[in-house]
Amino acid sequence: MPQMTITVDGRNVSTDGATISDVVKDPRVVAARINGSLVDLATPLADGVRIETIREDTPEGTEIIRHSTSHIMAEAVKLLFPDAKPTIGPSTEDGFYYDFDRDETFSTEDLEKIEAKMLELVSQNQPFLRREMTREEAKAYFKSRGEPYKVEIIDELDNDVDTVSLYEQGSFVDLCRGPHVPSTGYLKAFKLLSLAGAYWRGDERNKMLQRIYGTAFSSPKELKQHLAFLEEARRRDHRKLGKDLDLFLTSDDLGPGMIVYLPKGGMLRTLLEDFEKKVHFKRGYQIVYGPSILRGKLWEISGHMDNYKDNMYFTELDGQVYGIKPMNCLAHILIYKSKIRSYRDLPLRFFELGNVTRHEKSGVIHGLMRTRQFTQDDAHIFCRPDQLIDEITAIITMVEEVMAVFGFEYTMEISTRPEKSIGSDQDWEMATEALKEALNAKGLPYEINEGDGAFYGPKIDVKIKDAIGRQWQCATIQCDFSLPERFDTSFVGSDGAKHRPVMLHRVILGSIERFIGVLIEHYAGAFPVWLAPVQAVVMNITDAQADYAGQIADELRESGVRVELDVRNEKIGYKIREARLQKVPYMVVVGEREKQDRTIALRDRDGQQQTIELETFIARIHEEQPAV
């Protein structure tokens, strides 16, 4: 082998080695980039190449470990259940999964068997071997193995793809771009987590497959930390807490992605919406309401028919097509156009707690977090171009103030023009620069999310961080020059001529359903006093105090405190325990001493106790209300 000079992580190296692994001896390196392209360590060397190594403890390295672990899981499944047909098995943000077509359902006991087999395969330190085939050779190969899903994937590749790559370890061969770790011995820490159903290609018209979820890390310590995090996330799961706390229900009878609020959940939603109204009215917004369905021609003008149709539902009335609204902007545009507007009228800020319906795929629906029908705290601001920066800045300030009430930290992201979009390049550039200028004026850092804007304009996405560090996208600020143009909106300027307003689409909490789900998990169901559906439970020790307990409950209710009365013939310890399980902030206990002294024994959900006057307690409750 002739001597070559290559660059490894910025250092010039002379070598007569054949592959990257001959040069890179660090056991923490799992893959590399050659001249910017991601490759396996078994990739042949060439003189003058530039190599950047990828260690197992980096985000890219972790992703490769997880993808490799999904292949090991698929091999274990095929060895234990030969009838299972593998489909796809990618890495994810938190782990990996693999989908299988199998008539018999996997069980939790099967997961234990699969994981044990994976450990056995890992101990064999099997190499991951890459090979290439022509497209037709690969199709014939997978047909011979009885794997129709791999054949379908090959058929759907672009016509100009002539060759495909396969990876083999042990007895398992998969269609895959790679790269992978050099051998299974690199996979030191993994855990299978759960089972779920998943439609092939995420389309409910296709066959339902069985999905096995797992996770993997570069070290057992990281895996242990992640499993502890998952356990805490399970404890906070809004679907479980929603049921335990009687907040909402979902059911097959309702259909996927539909929510019914129970009385306590209805109260929680009402409290949030009342808070929202106060926040908006204080800042000059006017409340409006639009219909749930609008004529199809309006959705054609807006561009939704061409760019958003797959996410919408349609119906027909009197021989005409109507679209069920997925967003509230069109009605707000019609409100703006209902009269002649002067430059003196602007900005106009229209606000609506509007119900919208979107066709989400069944596979992505998740409790309150992803629904088909939800309510947005939607607002649209029509302003002059010279007012644009101030209005965006005011929205950002509003986001800051509202998120502080709930104790959320957050980050900002600007999403730019997607492939499927409307409007001129000039308008998109002006809109994007306006968002950047407003964030810069506030001194807020942001990242750029290329190609993820709305089809009518770029946007600022606000990612909030909950109590255990997870990020959720809630607030959004979209800058739109396109819809005002399409709907020919205008205002009369100081010069007496017509001018085009700019339109800002924005939500603060976003989907009320999603925000409630985030709040449930953020607070683990223990809402702050002002937001708790039930703020206090009044309970007696014996029947002799039942009437006094009722009087206390009445006085609290009349003073605006949300209260429940518990005068059941149960031991006081049992009543207190039930109230704490319901995460009620305060338990008001009345015994004979309290009855005689006209006081209350107050206990909070953390176990702190004191005897106080009823008026003092009422004042404390009202002091908990946040300033808006």
Side-chain angles (χ1 to χ4, degrees):
M1 179 70 67
Q3 195 81 5
M4 294 179 286
T5 300
I6 61 175
T7 303
V8 180
D9 294 333
R11 294 179 297 105
N12 290 330
V13 176
S14 296
T15 180
D16 57 1
T19 66
I20 298 174
S21 59
D22 293 329
V23 179
V24 178
K25 300 299 184 181
D26 186 343
R28 295 168 298 178
V29 172
V30 293
R33 289 185 182 277
I34 287 188
N35 297 338
S37 298
L38 200 57
V39 296
D40 303 294
L41 295 185
T43 302
L45 288 172
D47 193 29
V49 297
R50 186 182 74 255
I51 297 172
E52 302 165 72
T53 60
I54 297 172
R55 289 181 17 155
E56 62 186 3
D57 55 355
T58 63
E60 269 190 314
T62 301
E63 183 179 347
I64 291 165
I65 284 172
R66 288 171 176 167
H67 189 192
S68 298
T69 307
S70 76
H71 280 228
I72 290 294
M73 180 177 74
E75 181 183 5
V77 167
K78 287 293 292 179
L79 289 170
L80 293 169
F81 309 99
D83 63 315
K85 295 182 177 65
T87 62
I88 57 171
S91 61
T92 65
E93 184 179 352
D94 297 316
F96 61 88
Y97 68 81
Y98 214 114
D99 290 345
F100 298 92
D101 182 0
R102 183 172 181 248
D103 292 335
E104 195 172 335
T105 304
F106 289 119
S107 66
T108 52
E109 291 77 15
D110 290 335
L111 287 190
E112 295 174 7
K113 296 176 186 175
I114 295 166
E115 192 172 299
K117 177 60 74 171
M118 290 171 68
L119 289 168
E120 178 186 321
L121 295 172
V122 165
S123 69
Q124 296 170 9
N125 199 24
Q126 306 165 349
F128 279 88
L129 302 174
R130 177 188 173 97
R131 53 179 158 141
E132 293 187 352
M133 291 185 178
T134 67
R135 187 177 182 139
E136 292 306 314
E137 287 173 340
K139 280 178 62 176
Y141 176 78
F142 284 112
K143 278 182 182 178
S144 71
R145 292 171 64 92
E147 296 188 15
Y149 294 96
K150 304 298 179 184
V151 175
E152 183 177 330
I153 292 170
I154 296 169
D155 280 335
E156 291 178 354
L157 294 173
D158 292 339
N159 291 331
D160 58 352
V161 176
D162 297 321
T163 60
V164 297
S165 57
L166 284 67
Y167 277 83
E168 176 180 355
Q169 91 278 349
S171 61
F172 184 68
V173 180
D174 205 355
L175 180 70
C176 183
R177 285 193 300 265
H180 284 283
V181 297
S183 68
T184 62
Y186 280 71
L187 309 177
K188 312 177 190 74
F190 55 83
K191 180 71 179 174
L192 298 189
L193 300 173
S194 61
L195 296 160
Y199 292 107
W200 171 237
R201 298 297 204 194
D203 189 335
E204 53 263 44
R205 294 169 296 185
N206 290 337
K207 186 169 185 178
M208 175 67 80
L209 306 172
Q210 296 183 65
R211 177 170 294 178
I212 301 178
Y213 283 103
T215 192
F217 289 87
S218 61
S219 71
K221 180 182 177 182
E222 288 177 288
L223 176 62
K224 184 178 178 180
Q225 290 171 341
H226 183 70
L227 294 178
F229 166 82
L230 292 180
E231 186 56 40
E232 179 62 18
R234 274 191 288 271
R235 187 180 74 83
R236 294 170 178 264
D237 191 322
H238 76 281
R239 294 166 299 178
K240 178 181 183 301
L241 287 172
K243 182 178 180 181
D244 293 346
L245 302 179
D246 292 327
L247 297 175
F248 67 92
L249 63 84
T250 59
S251 75
D252 291 338
D253 292 336
L254 287 169
M258 301 298 176
I259 305 297
V260 170
Y261 287 95
L262 301 173
K264 289 180 182 177
M267 177 57 74
L268 175 59
R269 173 172 167 162
T270 298
L271 293 166
L272 266 182
E273 292 184 351
D274 288 348
F275 168 77
E276 284 258 85
K277 289 174 184 176
K278 291 176 184 176
V279 166
H280 283 80
F281 295 157
K282 181 179 177 180
R283 291 161 176 80
Y285 286 80
Q286 304 174 69
I287 196 162
V288 297
Y289 293 99
S292 293
I293 61 174
L294 295 95
R295 288 183 185 274
K297 69 177 184 180
L298 290 173
W299 301 111
E300 290 173 3
I301 295 170
S302 68
H304 284 80
M305 282 290 200
D306 292 330
N307 297 279
Y308 206 75
K309 188 175 182 179
D310 291 344
N311 297 93
M312 293 179 65
Y313 296 96
F314 295 90
T315 187
E316 191 172 299
L317 295 172
D318 301 325
Q320 293 194 34
V321 173
Y322 282 74
I324 300 172
K325 67 174 180 179
M327 48 195 70
N328 302 292
C329 45
L330 300 199
H332 296 193
I333 293 173
L334 297 180
I335 293 169
Y336 181 88
K337 285 173 62 69
S338 65
K339 61 173 68 175
I340 296 172
R341 308 290 181 177
S342 163
Y343 72 99
R344 299 180 187 274
D345 299 328
L346 305 185
L348 282 173
R349 306 181 186 102
F350 297 140
F351 165 63
E352 177 178 4
L353 285 161
N355 291 326
V356 297
T357 307
R358 296 180 185 176
H359 184 198
E360 301 283 4
K361 292 182 178 179
S362 298
V364 301
I365 286 170
H366 178 72
L368 293 173
M369 303 302 193
R370 197 74 175 264
T371 61
R372 283 182 172 161
Q373 188 171 78
F374 54 94
T375 301
Q376 282 188 307
D377 62 337
D378 215 353
H380 295 89
I381 299 169
F382 298 86
C383 65
R384 305 190 308 262
D386 64 287
Q387 297 170 323
L388 182 58
I389 303 301
D390 286 344
E391 287 302 308
I392 297 172
T393 304
I395 298 169
I396 296 169
T397 299
M398 188 177 177
V399 170
E400 291 176 314
E401 292 171 353
V402 169
M403 293 309 158
V405 170
F406 300 100
F408 285 124
E409 297 178 3
Y410 50 85
T411 57
M412 303 284 190
E413 189 175 81
I414 292 181
S415 296
T416 60
R417 187 171 190 167
E419 273 189 40
K420 215 172 181 183
S421 58
I422 60 176
S424 69
D425 291 342
Q426 182 183 4
D427 285 348
W428 274 85
E429 185 177 343
M430 286 192 298
T432 305
E433 286 305 310
L435 297 176
K436 290 179 179 179
E437 189 173 335
L439 285 171
N440 290 333
K442 292 285 296 181
L444 293 171
Y446 58 87
E447 293 185 358
I448 299 295
N449 183 15
E450 294 288 354
D452 203 35
F455 71 84
Y456 45 79
K459 59 180 179 171
I460 296 172
D461 286 326
V462 182
K463 306 287 183 70
I464 62 175
K465 185 183 292 186
D466 70 13
I468 57 174
R470 296 170 299 181
Q471 283 196 322
W472 306 93
Q473 197 273 304
C474 291
T476 299
I477 307 166
Q478 300 169 351
C479 188
D480 178 10
F481 286 80
S482 299
L483 292 188
E485 183 74 29
R486 284 185 165 231
F487 281 91
D488 193 26
T489 59
S490 63
F491 65 89
V492 179
S494 59
D495 57 359
K498 281 187 175 182
H499 298 269
R500 190 78 71 207
V502 184
M503 186 176 178
L504 292 170
H505 310 242
R506 50 103 296 198
V507 294
I508 303 300
L509 304 186
S511 159
I512 299 297
E513 279 71 14
R514 176 184 291 179
F515 197 77
I516 288 174
V518 172
L519 286 181
I520 292 170
E521 300 201 2
H522 179 59
Y523 295 122
F527 300 108
V529 176
W530 74 273
L531 200 52
V534 177
Q535 295 172 311
V537 176
V538 180
M539 53 188 73
N540 60 323
I541 294 177
T542 69
D543 286 344
Q545 300 94 41
D547 289 344
Y548 180 58
Q551 293 171 22
I552 294 293
D554 288 343
E555 288 187 49
L556 288 171
R557 198 173 289 113
E558 288 171 9
S559 69
V561 177
R562 297 183 295 277
V563 64
E564 287 184 351
L565 177 64
D566 186 353
V567 291
R568 295 174 297 165
N569 186 21
E570 299 284 358
K571 291 182 178 180
I572 191 65
Y574 177 81
K575 295 180 183 181
I576 290 171
R577 187 163 55 253
E578 277 208 332
R580 290 186 70 182
L581 287 173
Q582 285 294 302
K583 315 281 189 179
V584 177
Y586 292 110
M587 285 131 272
V588 177
V589 180
V590 293
E592 198 57 32
R593 179 183 297 175
E594 287 77 25
K595 179 180 177 181
Q596 295 301 323
D597 296 344
R598 307 300 292 174
T599 59
I600 59 172
L602 187 65
R603 176 191 290 260
D604 67 24
R605 60 188 165 207
D606 295 324
Q608 300 295 316
Q609 303 178 58
Q610 64 180 133
T611 299
I612 62 172
E613 301 289 335
L614 182 61
E615 292 74 16
T616 304
F617 174 55
I618 291 172
R620 179 188 298 183
I621 289 277
H622 291 316
E623 286 169 4
E624 299 273 2
Q625 191 70 24
V628 295

